[in-house]
Amino acid sequence: MASIYQKRNVWYISIMHNKKRITRSLGTKDKKVARQLQPHVESLIILELTGIRKRNLNLTFSELVPRFLKAKHNWSPSTFDLNKYILTSYLKGNPLPSNPSSRATHIRHINQCWKWGLKNNLIKKAHLIPGDTKGESRIRTYTKDELKKLFTFIENDTFNSFVQFAYYTGARSGEIRSISRDNVLEDSLVVHGKSGRRIVKLNSQAKDIIHSKKELWNYSKDYVSHKFKKEVRRLGIKNARFHDLRRTFGLNLIKQGMSIYKVSKLLGHKSVRTTEQHYAPLLTVEIEEYQLIQRHHKHRKLFLILYVHKNQHNPS
């Protein structure tokens, strides 16, 4: 008879037959999901216990991915979409991105799936992809002239408003690509994105955009990416990405004197340390010109005088 139980928040199934017991993780923290998985896993275990079928300990990656995506991970919708996009792309045989940061993201998520399979006894070996999993920090921000060019010459009025709204809020693309007036409060916007549900502060510039639109935008991820690339190419703005608007927002607020703590809250970072890690390289180039005072010769001469004086009174 099968029984399920929870250990360290994860549900397991246990079956005994002819004094032989098999216990297996159901790979979920959700009891409802565990109950749904129980009949299927139970039948497989019974076949193994009776010797009718040997346990498959070496799933292919194409077999592993659907199980990995179906399991309970406490991901936000955007994190699930990112995992699905990367893993599906990899299964199709698409090459890893050439951009260091994007490549690192792909490697990290693919390896995460392999490790999950190994942890849950679904594979014999995790075929991890070697390479950097952190990526290089991007430090591209827009100049004042580039922002003016974007806001003035992007021809589609609604997309132009969307680009400006992204800059004035510092929000992630996934948080504002599709917004409803039901989520618009007096001075803020309720969004769901990478960090889950959060409140985005609306300044007067962002509120003016919202109030000026009869209908708000509803864009897909691919549309924003392709449309923005097309616009910056047409305007002659090099090495430009949509996410650079968010980075420029944070940097400009810090340069204007806002504390990094407040900027961290506006960006929706989990900690100020995250904000510091992102903006430290940017702020380095903003430090004003300085010169080191050359005093080492004077100090060296004084040291020699003191050394000679001391040794004259304390001969060895």
Side-chain angles (χ1 to χ4, degrees):
M1 183 176 179
S3 62
I4 65 170
Y5 64 95
Q6 196 175 30
K7 181 179 179 181
R8 294 179 182 175
N9 294 326
V10 176
W11 284 93
Y12 289 78
I13 184 171
S14 182
I15 302 178
M16 179 174 281
H17 177 74
N18 290 336
K19 297 182 179 180
K20 184 179 179 181
R21 179 180 295 277
I22 290 183
T23 300
R24 190 158 301 159
S25 169
L26 291 171
T28 180
K29 297 180 180 179
D30 190 316
K31 186 175 182 179
K32 183 178 180 180
V33 175
R35 288 291 188 188
Q36 292 172 343
L37 292 172
Q38 181 180 352
H40 174 67
V41 178
E42 183 178 341
S43 63
L44 293 177
I45 293 176
I46 291 174
L47 290 174
E48 293 170 25
L49 286 169
T50 55
I52 298 175
R53 175 183 172 179
K54 292 184 178 180
R55 182 184 177 193
N56 186 358
L57 283 174
N58 198 23
L59 295 180
T60 63
F61 194 67
S62 60
E63 294 171 326
L64 182 63
V65 167
R67 296 195 183 197
F68 175 66
L69 293 174
K70 188 177 181 180
K72 191 74 173 180
H73 297 286
N74 292 325
W75 291 336
S76 67
S78 61
T79 301
F80 173 82
D81 290 343
L82 179 62
N83 273 279
K84 184 177 180 180
Y85 170 78
I86 290 175
L87 296 173
T88 302
S89 175
Y90 187 66
L91 287 176
K92 289 180 179 178
N94 295 330
L96 295 174
S98 57
N99 175 269
S101 295
S102 298
R103 183 183 182 88
T105 300
H106 278 241
I107 292 175
R108 185 168 64 250
H109 285 82
I110 293 167
N111 286 350
Q112 181 185 11
C113 182
W114 277 117
K115 291 176 182 178
W116 178 87
L118 190 64
K119 180 180 179 181
N120 288 276
N121 301 315
L122 297 174
I123 57 173
K124 290 181 179 179
K125 181 180 179 181
H127 300 280
L128 303 181
I129 301 175
D132 177 31
T133 58
K134 294 183 178 180
E136 299 175 358
S137 297
R138 184 171 169 84
I139 59 174
R140 172 72 160 100
T141 55
Y142 293 112
T143 64
K144 183 177 180 181
D145 288 341
E146 287 174 331
L147 288 175
K148 184 177 180 180
K149 187 179 289 188
L150 287 171
F151 298 166
T152 304
F153 297 111
I154 289 181
E155 295 174 350
N156 183 288
D157 182 63
T158 301
F159 191 74
N160 188 313
S161 297
F162 172 68
V163 171
Q164 292 191 50
F165 187 79
Y167 172 67
Y168 291 137
T169 60
R172 302 176 180 92
S173 171
E175 294 174 332
I176 59 170
R177 285 197 302 265
S178 179
I179 58 178
S180 167
R181 291 204 180 273
D182 293 337
N183 294 334
V184 179
L185 308 179
E186 184 177 352
D187 294 311
S188 58
L189 174 69
V190 180
V191 300
H192 294 81
K194 178 180 178 180
S195 56
R197 181 182 182 275
R198 80 176 183 98
I199 304 296
V200 172
K201 173 73 174 178
L202 298 180
N203 64 5
S204 59
Q205 294 156 310
K207 285 189 286 187
D208 286 344
I209 292 173
I210 289 288
H211 297 323
S212 68
K213 310 298 293 184
K214 291 183 178 180
E215 292 186 9
L216 299 177
W217 49 82
N218 183 13
Y219 297 135
S220 68
K221 179 180 179 180
D222 287 342
Y223 177 83
V224 171
S225 177
H226 294 155
K227 177 68 173 174
F228 190 75
K229 286 179 180 178
K230 182 180 178 180
E231 291 293 335
V232 294
R233 192 181 301 117
R234 181 177 62 83
L235 296 175
I237 301 176
K238 306 295 184 181
N239 186 28
R241 298 183 192 173
F242 189 85
H243 194 77
D244 297 336
L245 291 165
R246 172 174 162 85
R247 193 178 300 106
T248 307
F249 164 87
L251 178 64
N252 285 347
L253 287 180
I254 294 172
K255 288 167 63 176
Q256 289 172 18
M258 182 176 286
S259 72
I260 199 164
Y261 174 80
K262 289 183 178 179
V263 173
S264 179
K265 293 300 180 184
L266 290 174
L267 290 169
H269 286 161
K270 291 184 177 180
S271 69
V272 177
R273 184 177 180 182
T274 301
T275 313
E276 290 173 339
Q277 289 173 341
H278 281 294
Y279 287 90
L282 296 171
L283 293 173
T284 299
V285 299
E286 297 296 330
I287 298 175
E288 63 276 7
E289 171 63 23
Y290 65 91
Q291 290 185 353
L292 294 173
I293 300 174
Q294 301 295 325
R295 292 181 175 176
H296 56 280
H297 294 303
K298 184 184 292 185
H299 291 167
R300 182 171 179 270
K301 183 177 180 180
L302 177 61
F303 172 79
L304 288 173
I305 293 173
L306 292 174
Y307 178 80
V308 171
H309 180 76
K310 177 181 179 183
N311 281 273
Q312 285 177 341
H313 290 81
N314 298 285
S316 56

